[in-house]
Amino acid sequence: MGGGRALLLLLVVSALLVQIRASDPVFYEPFEESFQGRWVVSGKDGYTGVWKHEKSDGHEDYGLLVSEKAKKYAIIKELDQPVTLKDGTVVLQFEVRLQNGLECGGAYLKYIRPQDASWDAKEFDNESPYTIMFGPDKCGSTNKVHFILKHKNPKTGKYVEHHLKFPPSVPYDKLSHVYTAILKPDNEVRILVDGEEKKKANFLSADDFEPSLIPSKTIPDPDDKKPEDWDERAKIPDPDAVKPDDWDEDAPMEIEDEEATKPEGWLDDEPEEIDDPEAIKPEDWDDEEDGEWEAPKIDNPKCEEGPGCGEWKKPMKQNPAYKGKWHAPLIDNPNYKGIWKPQEIPNPEYFELDRPEFDPIAAIGIEIWTMQDGILFDNILIADDEKVATSILEKTWKPKYEVEKEKEKAEEAAAGSADGLSEFQKKIFDVLYKIADIPFLAPYKSKIIDVIEKGEKQPNITIGVLVSIIVVFATVLFRVLFGGKKPVAPAKPTTEVKKPKAPEADAAGSSGDKEDEEDEKDETAAPRRDSCHLCPPPDDLVPLLIFS
């Protein structure tokens, strides 16, 4: 009887020990003490950014600080034992505070796979192979919480980067935020920001990762060539069509309106511009060096009072006889064979699996290139229990966040809505960033992101930004659905005489100059508007440019 009680007691104690062990983090770095001697700063060329052990602004809590602008940073912590990702749940979590905001830079972590025995941690750089890269990154058109998996193809032995599709955007503020990735044994991965789920995906789904972890079974045959007589033209000009005898290709688009008459009171002898009577020749003007001085021109005020001045000319009107260049009408091509595609062959790199073959995590590294300073990393965690991650979030991040949030509200109230983003505006910008990630808006993403960022800096134009992007969205959607813009009805001839406009003097910053200087980093050889239904909308339809 006594032996049975002893065995029962032993089982209870063992269960308690297992429960206690399960509640412990696999790895946890709160940076309560200096990182020096525990983390290794990269010694590779170019990584000159200085890491510091500093308090978070307004708190007594310490973190790992990016202390200088426009630098490359790299630091790594090797784990005592590699963490396997193949069995059970694994939680990756860390805290970041962008104390000076983030206009261009990364704040993500790299979970490094085991290296060669000869590898030195001081060699850590952007080439060091990782298993997972996770965290915020924002610069230009990029605004996302990355989740990238490097997976080894068992057929080829090559590692391939697989990016999470449509990841969440980075919060726009200077508060502390917690980023969590939960990897489940059923191939599910969940991305949380501040404990709130923002994205759920499946590792083996082609809809969730690009490229898909499992390659396609077939691929286009690289040796298959299109036959020379293959005709892909669905329509061809009618070979039997003849230009009508009355078709005048030389007729001008506009002709002089013979019925127009000069308005009464037209000032024929008055010039459109006159010398500025208030202009005075500068005292230091040297006729020999500077030439003969001439007063600057101004609009003739007499022209403003009358219907117009200068030599009157009959206005132009649309020529009813204009037909333009004649082209034979299109007919169905009797030799049309469809769009040629190479035949499919079995993909030599295809494989099947029930679960990704994750490499273990042997180290945690931060390797970034950022234009910002003030990026503070804290509370880096690897756990095998979601409750552990939630508990640490509640104890370490939440109290700080609530203090920061209250302080932010007080500052906004003091500064007024015109000087800061309200909660409503922040929600609008979060939605706009998600709209920018919609696949069919990809050709316009860089311009949309530019406008959103300008709106964030100028909160008073939030509504204008919202309207602009909605117009672009509607314009693109219309083109996708209806295949282009509707034809414009020809203007009716009119005898109305418009007042001639005086020539504008050249001025710096003209609209023409702005169009020439538009950002072209995501555009090449733009196609003609009338031949492309999915190309970026014309400038006159893009209200975005009003903020340029």
Side-chain angles (χ1 to χ4, degrees):
M1 194 72 173
R5 289 180 179 177
L7 179 60
L8 179 60
L9 180 61
L10 180 61
L11 291 174
V12 170
V13 172
S14 299
L16 288 174
L17 289 174
V18 169
Q19 182 64 35
I20 293 171
R21 172 65 188 87
S23 64
D24 290 338
V26 177
F27 170 82
Y28 181 50
E29 175 57 88
F31 292 107
E32 293 176 354
E33 300 176 357
S34 173
F35 63 89
Q36 294 182 1
R38 298 182 301 110
W39 289 68
V40 178
V41 177
S42 175
K44 294 295 287 289
D45 292 341
Y47 291 90
T48 58
V50 177
W51 295 98
K52 291 186 177 180
H53 184 240
E54 295 282 350
K55 291 180 181 179
S56 179
D57 186 25
H59 304 291
E60 292 300 315
D61 185 47
Y62 283 86
L64 181 64
L65 181 70
V66 169
S67 65
E68 299 174 292
K69 298 180 179 179
K71 298 283 187 179
K72 294 176 72 175
Y73 291 80
I75 191 170
I76 190 169
K77 166 68 175 176
E78 295 184 277
L79 306 183
D80 295 335
Q81 294 291 332
V83 177
T84 179
L85 303 177
K86 293 184 178 181
D87 303 313
T89 296
V90 175
V91 182
L92 309 176
Q93 181 171 287
F94 66 100
E95 183 181 316
V96 171
R97 186 179 184 189
L98 309 173
Q99 298 182 129
N100 297 324
L102 184 63
E103 294 181 4
C104 187
Y108 43 77
L109 265 57
K110 289 183 176 180
Y111 298 87
I112 310 301
R113 69 174 185 250
Q115 309 292 303
D116 296 334
S118 61
W119 186 75
D120 186 346
K122 283 188 173 292
E123 298 296 305
F124 176 54
D125 62 9
N126 64 318
E127 298 296 328
S128 301
Y130 61 85
T131 294
I132 290 172
M133 188 174 101
F134 172 53
D137 187 16
K138 183 178 179 182
C139 192
S141 62
T142 297
N143 184 321
K144 63 181 69 175
V145 179
H146 282 294
F147 186 92
I148 304 173
L149 168 67
K150 277 195 175 182
H151 187 264
K152 186 177 182 179
N153 184 311
K155 282 287 188 72
T156 65
K158 297 178 181 178
Y159 282 90
V160 179
E161 276 190 7
H162 303 278
H163 294 245
L164 178 66
K165 290 183 178 180
F166 315 122
S169 57
V170 181
Y172 179 81
D173 54 39
K174 300 177 182 179
L175 312 181
S176 299
H177 292 286
V178 176
Y179 298 91
T180 309
I182 303 174
L183 288 65
K184 306 288 288 184
D186 61 356
N187 297 325
E188 180 183 273
V189 57
R190 295 165 53 214
I191 306 299
L192 286 66
V193 178
D194 298 342
E196 180 181 347
E197 183 176 302
K198 299 293 184 179
K199 177 74 176 181
K200 181 187 291 185
N202 188 293
F203 283 115
L204 303 186
S205 172
D207 294 331
D208 292 334
F209 280 87
E210 176 63 36
S212 172
L213 262 74
I214 301 178
S216 58
K217 289 185 177 182
T218 62
I219 59 172
D221 184 356
D223 298 324
D224 193 13
K225 306 299 180 184
K226 182 171 68 174
E228 293 182 1
D229 62 347
W230 191 281
D231 196 338
E232 294 183 328
R233 299 172 301 163
K235 299 282 187 179
I236 59 172
D238 185 354
D240 299 325
V242 179
K243 183 175 70 172
D245 293 336
D246 61 347
W247 191 289
D248 185 0
E249 293 185 328
D250 297 326
M253 184 182 295
E254 291 185 329
I255 58 175
E256 197 173 74
D257 186 356
E258 297 295 342
E259 298 179 3
T261 57
K262 183 168 63 174
E264 184 176 351
W266 189 275
L267 306 175
D268 297 89
D269 299 327
E270 286 289 341
E272 295 176 354
E273 290 184 332
I274 60 172
D275 293 342
D276 184 353
E278 298 181 1
I280 301 174
K281 180 179 178 180
E283 294 181 359
D284 59 349
W285 188 276
D286 189 328
D287 289 339
E288 292 184 1
E289 293 185 4
D290 303 324
E292 183 180 355
W293 182 80
E294 295 181 359
K297 301 289 185 180
I298 63 170
D299 291 337
N300 189 343
K302 293 182 179 179
C303 298
E304 297 292 332
E305 298 171 0
C309 58
E311 181 184 0
W312 181 82
K313 295 180 180 179
K314 291 184 177 181
M316 304 297 287
K317 69 175 184 178
Q318 187 173 357
N319 184 3
Y322 171 75
K323 294 185 177 181
K325 188 73 175 176
W326 181 84
H327 297 279
L330 297 179
I331 61 172
D332 292 336
N333 182 3
N335 298 319
Y336 176 65
K337 294 184 178 181
I339 303 300
W340 182 85
K341 294 181 180 179
Q343 64 179 351
E344 295 283 319
I345 61 172
N347 184 359
E349 298 186 0
Y350 174 74
F351 62 87
E352 294 183 359
L353 49 73
D354 297 326
R355 180 159 168 75
E357 292 293 330
F358 295 106
D359 281 332
I361 297 173
I364 298 176
I366 306 173
E367 187 275 319
I368 56 176
W369 185 9
T370 178
M371 294 295 107
Q372 262 65 51
D373 58 356
I375 301 175
L376 191 78
F377 294 89
D378 200 4
N379 296 313
I380 299 174
L381 168 75
I382 299 178
D384 53 15
D385 188 342
E386 295 179 49
K387 293 180 181 178
V388 173
T390 301
S391 175
I392 289 178
L393 178 151
E394 292 286 338
K395 292 177 181 178
T396 61
W397 165 78
K398 194 170 184 178
K400 290 187 295 185
Y401 179 78
E402 289 175 350
V403 170
E404 294 164 9
K405 197 67 178 174
E406 288 301 317
K407 181 180 179 182
E408 182 187 58
K409 288 181 180 179
E411 290 174 349
E412 285 184 359
S417 60
D419 297 327
L421 291 177
S422 66
E423 284 299 310
F424 174 70
Q425 287 171 318
K426 289 177 183 178
K427 290 179 180 179
I428 288 178
F429 286 118
D430 284 342
V431 172
L432 293 180
Y433 275 120
K434 292 178 181 178
I435 290 176
D437 282 331
I438 295 175
F440 75 82
L441 289 177
Y444 329 100
K445 183 174 180 179
S446 63
K447 287 188 177 180
I448 293 176
I449 293 294
D450 287 343
V451 174
I452 294 174
E453 291 180 343
K454 289 179 182 178
E456 288 174 332
K457 296 174 183 176
Q458 305 175 55
N460 58 309
I461 63 172
T462 300
I463 299 302
V465 171
L466 179 62
V467 172
S468 299
I469 295 178
I470 289 175
V471 170
V472 172
F473 181 88
T475 302
V476 176
L477 187 61
F478 178 85
R479 293 190 169 200
V480 171
L481 295 177
F482 301 104
K485 57 186 179 183
K486 296 182 179 180
V488 180
K492 295 182 180 180
T494 177
T495 58
E496 180 182 354
V497 178
K498 293 185 178 180
K499 179 179 174 182
K501 188 176 181 181
E504 295 182 358
D506 291 338
S510 67
S511 61
D513 294 335
K514 289 181 181 178
E515 290 176 2
D516 292 339
E517 295 171 2
E518 280 184 12
D519 184 8
E520 297 177 356
K521 60 187 175 183
D522 290 333
E523 299 179 4
T524 59
R528 290 176 55 187
R529 295 178 184 174
D530 58 356
S531 64
C532 177
H533 297 158
L534 292 177
C535 49
D539 292 342
D540 53 354
L541 294 181
V542 185
L544 306 184
L545 297 183
I546 65 175
F547 304 112
S548 297

